[in-house]
Amino acid sequence: MELKEIQRLEGHTDRVWSLAWNPATGHAGVPLVFASCSGDKTVRIWEQNLSSRLWECKTVLEETHIRTVRSCAWSPSGKLLATASFDATTAIWENVGGDFECVSTLEGHENEVKSVCWNASGNLLATCSRDKSVWIWEVQPGNEFECVSVLQGHTQDVKMVKWHPTEDILFSCSYDNSVKVWADEGDSDDWQCVQTLGEPNNGHTSTVWALSFNPGGDKMVTCSDDLTLKVWETESIGMQSGGGFAPWRHLCTLSGYHGRTIFSVHWSGEGIFASGAADDAIRLFVEDTESQAGGPLYKLLLKKEKAHDMDVNSVQWSPGEKPLLASASDDGTIKVWELVS
Amino acid sequence: MTLANRNFKMVKTIAEFFLILRVNITSDQTQKAFGKVLTKLGCTAPLVPGFCIQKKVSMNLSVGEYKDEFECFFGSVGASCELGVMDDLFDSSLNLEDAHYKEGYDEAYNHGLIAGKEEARQVGLKVGFEVGEELGFYRGWVDIWTSTIQVDPTCFSPRAKMIIAQMEELIQKYPLMDPENLQVQEIMDSLRVKFKMVCSSMHVKLEYNGYPKSSTEANDIQF
């Protein structure tokens, strides 16, 4: 197995913070598209040329955010792109025949917005900020977004929000070392923290930077400044019929693989999860089917040293039958990788 | 033995005084009453080294019940004094320190009570003003929004109207006259969040100036 570099994409003039693949691309003859966001305050849209297989920057979204764009996320339909910025706003861009137009700006956070995520059905959007709060927004007719709930529970900067891949259950991870699970219990608009995965339940001992779900949605991997990856599982997905919540529990901890902060983790449709870390390397992990009882359940598949010249901030698997991996780095570049055997 | 030397000196000056105090009281109160009397004497009297109590029990047949007789000696610590009396002599000097300590403590305590009350009054005035000002700020906005809704019920979204109504309830519920009520902080936090949500819904940026902004607390380094 080898992680082969397909292309190195330049264009951003500052560190690249994050990237997001358009979920509506990569199949049925639609060329793969992803968006990247950067400290240069811009968002770039990259599209694969179907004949050359190479990537080119189709458009640059600029002059909307006045500070770093920290995170971006496509709606499930691929029609809307949400971008979260340190300027305390989240912008919504509509893709009209390849042209992107800013159709809405979500204001409410006190300061830097760190992450944005759409739910599975695309009617809810979550944002989180250094102001320690998580906001849930509902999509209204006419590209209007209204705040449904403000979730206050984290005691520090919230680094990332992520919806469950099928259920309306929200996960947030924070500088306070915890992952919190939020659900709308009973009446609508009554979002509550239903579980906190922290140190007392085998959680992380330092900042939790990112989390990702397996394709089935019954497992979740988290990565942290404590140099470990942790895998969590749940009995049944989502809210049970009785309205009760099936809690998540710690499954295993992968330690000893990373020597620096792990900033990003992403689980592919094929069950391989990738990690991007401050040691400039990308690592891939798979389930260890030969694992002994009580032994580690996941093993290192490969490690790509010097994947970038600087910190790897984000790793993301593409949609489609043969997923590609894209990585974004402090060195200002994005790389697209192919896993070949 | 500087302590002992100092006491002996004092003993000499008051050795001529010898006092027997006799008190007759019913048996169940004797120890208690005597404890009080002695404490009082101990506290108010000037330096009295070699202070001790002796207890004698005798029968008073005419009354038909037991009585305790106490004899209390002051002074009388001459050359003939025994070791036990010497102990009492040191006790007295130790009690002396205690008594002075207690006197000082009481004085400071009473002073602190007065000063603390005054300081608390000032803090109370300040905090009370701040809370009142912030509540008034929200009260004003809720009134304006409510009036606007009465003029044009469609001007805000159903969700915004609901939150405005909830703010109204919270303001009324706020225990203004009961600052020790545990709900105080909870209600204020809830009001702050709801205010932000309404502002966000209306795409306006309103801010209560008195509210401490967390953005000014931290430095600008971002991750």
Side-chain angles (χ1 to χ4, degrees):
Chain A
M1 288 286 213
E2 192 208 340
L3 204 55
K4 196 179 124 199
E5 183 182 317
I6 295 179
Q7 201 179 343
R8 180 171 180 267
L9 304 173
E10 290 180 356
H12 283 299
T13 56
D14 200 333
R15 68 179 58 176
V16 189
W17 273 109
S18 179
L19 57 89
W21 292 90
N22 185 330
T25 63
H27 41 76
V30 182
L32 276 165
V33 168
F34 70 85
S36 63
C37 56
S38 160
D40 67 10
K41 305 170 190 140
T42 71
V43 176
R44 284 176 176 259
I45 310 290
W46 308 82
E47 188 180 287
Q48 189 178 28
N49 185 310
L50 282 174
S51 50
S52 71
R53 316 290 295 166
L54 290 178
W55 303 79
E56 43 198 72
C57 180
K58 298 299 280 186
T59 178
V60 181
L61 315 183
E62 53 193 345
E63 284 167 9
T64 292
H65 288 301
I66 53 171
R67 286 186 63 193
T68 290
V69 186
R70 177 66 179 83
S71 165
C72 53
W74 295 91
S75 67
S77 67
K79 295 253 188 300
L80 298 173
L81 177 71
T83 55
S85 165
F86 284 178
D87 66 14
T89 70
T90 304
I92 308 293
W93 307 78
E94 192 176 8
N95 181 359
V96 188
D99 281 337
F100 285 81
E101 190 189 337
C102 179
V103 292
S104 193
T105 306
L106 281 53
E107 288 172 55
H109 279 295
E110 259 177 63
N111 46 42
E112 293 86 343
V113 187
K114 295 295 179 83
S115 172
V116 59
C117 185
W118 299 84
N119 73 338
S121 47
N123 67 323
L124 295 174
L125 190 73
T127 57
C128 63
S129 157
R130 187 165 73 87
D131 68 13
K132 304 168 192 170
S133 69
V134 173
W135 289 48
I136 296 175
W137 310 79
E138 190 180 61
V139 185
Q140 310 271 320
N143 287 322
E144 272 289 313
F145 288 77
E146 189 168 40
C147 174
V148 172
S149 192
V150 175
L151 313 177
Q152 290 177 309
H154 282 296
T155 56
Q156 296 291 340
D157 187 4
V158 188
K159 294 297 186 188
M160 188 191 222
V161 277
K162 198 97 180 167
W163 289 95
H164 186 274
T166 55
E167 303 297 314
D168 280 346
I169 296 180
L170 183 67
F171 294 73
S172 59
C173 54
S174 162
Y175 186 77
D176 68 11
N177 307 351
S178 77
V179 176
K180 280 185 182 285
V181 190
W182 309 87
D184 186 4
E185 289 194 305
D187 296 332
S188 56
D189 289 9
D190 186 24
W191 289 83
Q192 300 288 340
C193 176
V194 289
Q195 197 181 4
T196 300
L197 305 172
E199 272 186 72
N201 26 30
N202 292 316
H204 289 289
T205 54
S206 190
T207 306
V208 189
W209 278 96
L211 63 97
S212 179
F213 292 93
N214 71 337
D218 62 340
K219 288 194 178 66
M220 164 176 78
V221 59
T222 53
C223 67
S224 166
D225 181 53
D226 69 7
L227 314 180
T228 70
L229 293 165
K230 283 176 188 281
V231 183
W232 308 79
E233 67 172 354
T234 185
E235 292 292 324
S236 61
I237 304 164
M239 304 295 284
Q240 287 160 328
S241 52
F245 165 78
W248 289 75
R249 61 161 193 270
H250 175 258
L251 183 64
C252 66
T253 298
L254 284 74
S255 55
Y257 294 110
H258 298 81
R260 302 276 303 273
T261 306
I262 313 163
F263 289 122
S264 177
V265 65
H266 192 228
W267 212 320
S268 80
E270 268 68 41
I272 299 172
F273 56 83
S275 75
D279 61 5
D280 315 342
I282 295 173
R283 293 169 182 78
L284 303 183
F285 296 86
V286 281
E287 195 168 352
D288 188 357
T289 48
E290 290 159 19
S291 136
Q292 308 289 312
L297 298 161
Y298 295 87
K299 64 180 178 190
L300 184 71
L301 182 66
L302 69 83
K303 177 182 176 185
K304 185 72 185 176
E305 301 259 20
K306 293 195 170 44
H308 281 275
D309 295 336
M310 293 167 83
D311 294 7
V312 181
N313 291 322
S314 180
V315 282
Q316 295 290 316
W317 293 98
S318 74
E321 280 172 19
K322 209 166 174 293
L324 301 170
L325 185 71
S327 58
S329 165
D330 272 1
D331 66 16
T333 69
I334 298 152
K335 286 185 180 180
V336 183
W337 310 82
E338 188 180 11
L339 185 60
V340 291
S341 39
Chain B
M1 290 303 285
T2 50
L3 192 70
N5 289 336
R6 206 171 67 203
N7 280 299
F8 272 115
K9 219 171 166 183
M10 283 181 265
V11 167
K12 275 177 197 158
T13 56
I14 59 160
E16 301 147 47
F17 301 99
F18 186 74
L19 170 71
I20 298 179
L21 184 67
R22 175 162 296 185
V23 185
N24 290 330
I25 37 176
T26 53
S27 58
D28 58 337
Q29 288 184 320
T30 47
Q31 193 62 54
K32 222 169 158 186
F34 240 89
K36 259 187 197 169
V37 170
L38 292 177
T39 310
K40 205 158 187 182
L41 278 170
C43 289
T44 52
L47 296 170
V48 187
F51 175 74
C52 64
I53 318 175
Q54 273 179 359
K55 185 178 175 184
K56 278 199 286 192
V57 180
S58 68
M59 198 103 71
N60 190 328
L61 292 169
S62 62
V63 184
E65 60 181 356
Y66 289 106
K67 289 201 173 181
D68 289 350
E69 287 179 27
F70 285 85
E71 282 183 336
C72 184
F73 302 94
F74 293 91
S76 174
V77 265
S80 65
C81 72
E82 290 172 18
L83 197 60
V85 183
M86 286 292 284
D87 280 351
D88 286 336
L89 176 118
F90 294 130
D91 275 0
S92 76
S93 74
L94 289 173
N95 287 339
L96 183 73
E97 278 190 46
D98 282 353
H100 279 277
Y101 172 82
K102 191 177 181 313
E103 192 183 320
Y105 179 88
D106 287 347
E107 198 178 310
Y109 182 86
N110 289 327
H111 180 76
L113 218 57
I114 294 162
K117 253 189 182 160
E118 183 49 36
E119 199 181 322
R121 189 192 301 278
Q122 294 306 323
V123 173
L125 271 172
K126 184 173 171 287
V127 175
F129 180 82
E130 284 169 0
V131 168
E133 193 186 42
E134 188 171 356
L135 272 179
F137 176 80
Y138 298 136
R139 167 89 272 165
W141 280 109
V142 168
D143 284 351
I144 287 175
W145 291 330
T146 310
S147 311
T148 315
I149 292 166
Q150 276 167 359
V151 174
D152 177 10
T154 61
C155 63
F156 304 135
S157 73
R159 192 173 270 128
K161 281 197 279 189
M162 192 183 71
I163 300 169
I164 293 166
Q166 287 169 349
M167 284 185 74
E168 170 74 44
E169 254 176 65
L170 286 171
I171 294 169
Q172 290 194 357
K173 211 169 76 179
Y174 192 96
L176 268 180
M177 294 304 166
D178 184 10
E180 286 178 30
N181 190 316
L182 292 173
Q183 273 195 308
V184 164
Q185 196 56 42
E186 194 185 315
I187 294 179
M188 190 57 100
D189 286 346
S190 189
L191 273 172
R192 285 172 183 162
V193 165
K194 286 184 195 299
F195 181 72
K196 275 199 226 169
M197 287 170 75
V198 176
C199 291
S200 165
S201 161
M202 294 175 186
H203 300 286
V204 288
K205 212 164 191 179
L206 302 169
E207 216 161 74
Y208 170 58
N209 289 328
Y211 181 59
K213 277 180 75 177
S214 57
S215 50
T216 52
E217 293 165 9
N219 56 38
D220 272 326
I221 299 168
Q222 282 308 310
F223 302 102

